[in-house]
Amino acid sequence: MTIRVLIADDQTLVRTGFRLVLDAEPGIKVISEAADGESAVRMARQLRPDVTLMDIRMPKLDGLRATELLAGPGVEDPLKVLVVTTYDVDENVYAALLAGACGFLLKDARPRLLVEAVHAAHRGEAMVSPAVTVRLLSHFTSGAEQRGAPLTGRELDVVLAVGRGFTNAEIAERLTVSLSTVKSHLTNVQGKLGVRNRTEIAIWAWRNGLLR
């Protein structure tokens, strides 16, 4: 199955660079480009791409609002949005994660990481490096409400691993369980915590002081 990608960025060189990298990868095809937030939302709703790469700062409609319109809590059939930003400490990234983005990528990332991020987003796995995860998600701990959760010991292990930025395959290897078991635990965790994806699981872990 070919992963269909929409690129939303107001910089022509960035869009061109992303397209060259992704179109050269077997199994990935860039289906369209958008130079502003309004066009991104319109195209995404019309074309229903498998993954949308969304810049933060764009004219007409910023990437935060565009992400919320496509993947936010109130969206009936949310799309998978991967936020792209220049600064890994930009507060807009925090808002993007809360707006429904499945993950984020820095614009200066290696081409291979861009490809991996698209594959991860398509699988529902946020591609966030552990170092950046710690730096960004730690900001969610301030004033967080401590909530109890009926998680089993193994589910808690999975939550901690997600919070540290590991993929499903890496979690399975670390916990010596099958990939299907990890996915099952994630499904159970999402139901118990009332979250929609692994990014929100990581935020929950940070907010409740499980990771420092």
Side-chain angles (χ1 to χ4, degrees):
M1 180 182 296
T2 299
I3 302 175
R4 301 161 62 252
V5 178
L6 170 66
I7 301 174
D9 196 293
D10 64 335
Q11 298 182 46
T12 303
L13 287 178
V14 172
R15 297 198 308 273
T16 300
F18 284 174
R19 177 183 280 273
L20 288 174
V21 171
L22 296 177
D23 278 345
E25 183 71 14
I28 298 179
K29 179 177 179 58
V30 176
I31 59 173
S32 192
E33 299 177 13
D36 61 76
E38 287 185 358
S39 299
V41 172
R42 183 177 66 255
M43 289 181 182
R45 287 173 171 172
Q46 178 183 357
L47 301 175
R48 304 294 299 179
D50 298 307
V51 178
T52 297
L53 297 184
M54 183 73 71
D55 187 19
I56 290 288
R57 296 168 180 169
M58 290 187 292
K60 296 186 179 180
L61 188 69
D62 66 64
L64 296 176
R65 180 57 179 157
T67 297
E68 187 176 24
L69 291 173
L70 296 175
V75 179
E76 183 175 345
D77 188 14
L79 293 169
K80 293 173 181 176
V81 178
L82 180 64
V83 167
V84 182
T85 182
T86 302
Y87 306 104
D88 61 353
V89 293
D90 191 338
E91 289 188 359
N92 286 332
V93 177
Y94 317 148
L97 295 176
L98 295 177
C102 64
F104 63 88
L105 186 70
L106 301 182
K107 285 186 178 180
D108 61 356
R110 305 185 315 276
R112 188 67 240 168
L113 186 59
L114 173 63
V115 172
E116 292 175 0
V118 169
H119 279 291
H122 184 242
R123 295 191 303 265
E125 301 178 2
M127 174 59 73
V128 182
S129 70
V132 177
T133 299
V134 170
R135 290 175 60 184
L136 289 176
L137 297 186
S138 61
H139 287 262
F140 288 112
T141 61
S142 179
E145 177 185 357
Q146 300 297 313
R147 292 190 299 165
L151 300 180
T152 66
R154 188 55 88 185
E155 287 169 352
L156 183 58
D157 289 338
V158 171
V159 167
L160 294 175
V162 168
R164 295 187 175 102
F166 294 109
T167 65
N168 284 1
E170 291 170 334
I171 295 172
E173 181 178 357
R174 290 173 65 88
L175 300 182
T176 319
V177 296
S178 67
L179 189 60
S180 61
T181 298
V182 173
K183 293 179 179 179
S184 178
H185 284 319
L186 284 173
T187 298
N188 293 337
V189 167
Q190 288 178 210
K192 290 180 177 181
L193 301 184
V195 299
R196 299 175 303 158
N197 52 50
R198 65 194 300 112
T199 302
E200 292 185 3
I201 291 175
I203 292 173
W204 180 90
W206 277 105
R207 277 182 163 169
N208 287 275
L210 301 182
L211 297 167
R212 295 292 183 182

